[in-house]
Amino acid sequence: MQTKAILSQQEVNRIIAAARSEAQQNQWAVSIAVVDDGGHPLALERLDGCAPIGAYIATEKARTSALGRRESKGYEDMVNGGRNAFLSAPLLTSLEGGVPVIIDGQVVGAIGVSGVKAEQDAQVAKAGVQSLN
């Protein structure tokens, strides 16, 4: 039987805090979502000034990244590269800003961020993931 790490509430809080700090340092109003490896929500934070839809999009970016076992940007790149079949994939968002949390080579969850430009969303998400290193 294999074993794997899981995200505890302590790690989830650390991810959220690091992502929030990155966003606030840049004065970006974003939503931040953390999910487990099955895409199920563990935490959601919507910073002041972020549009309500940001919470939905951040969660879906995280879910896409967890289930796909890759950054959500990979799907965006595929669609932009002409692989339009991915538009019908069961992933609700193919936008940059979802980043998997990988521990010992295993995806144990993901973070999704929405509210600013796609590359800025990804910057905030990556700051959250890096807090575990």
Side-chain angles (χ1 to χ4, degrees):
M1 181 177 294
Q2 294 182 353
T3 60
K4 68 174 184 173
I6 60 167
L7 290 174
S8 72
Q9 196 61 52
Q10 181 178 351
E11 286 89 24
V12 170
N13 289 339
R14 191 178 325 155
I15 292 168
I16 291 282
R20 179 190 326 111
S21 178
E22 181 71 20
Q24 289 175 332
Q25 286 175 13
N26 289 288
Q27 299 180 341
W28 294 334
V30 298
S31 287
I32 305 160
V34 177
V35 301
D36 66 13
D37 62 332
H40 304 98
L42 297 174
L44 173 67
E45 186 168 328
R46 191 174 94 201
L47 302 183
D48 292 342
C50 182
I53 196 164
Y56 175 79
I57 295 171
T59 301
E60 292 305 316
K61 286 180 179 184
R63 189 174 81 77
T64 296
S65 185
L67 294 176
R69 307 293 196 245
R70 66 176 73 189
E71 288 192 34
S72 58
K73 182 182 185 327
Y75 295 105
E76 181 180 15
D77 291 344
M78 284 186 242
V79 170
N80 290 340
R83 295 194 63 196
N84 295 330
F86 274 98
L87 291 172
S88 64
L91 307 169
L92 294 181
T93 185
S94 297
L95 303 172
E96 185 174 6
V99 177
V101 177
I102 302 171
I103 304 295
D104 296 329
Q106 297 282 330
V107 173
V108 297
I111 179 173
V113 177
S114 181
V116 287
K117 293 179 182 176
E119 62 272 6
Q120 295 167 333
D121 289 342
Q123 178 180 329
V124 172
K126 289 175 182 176
V129 171
Q130 290 170 356
S131 72
L132 297 182
N133 297 331

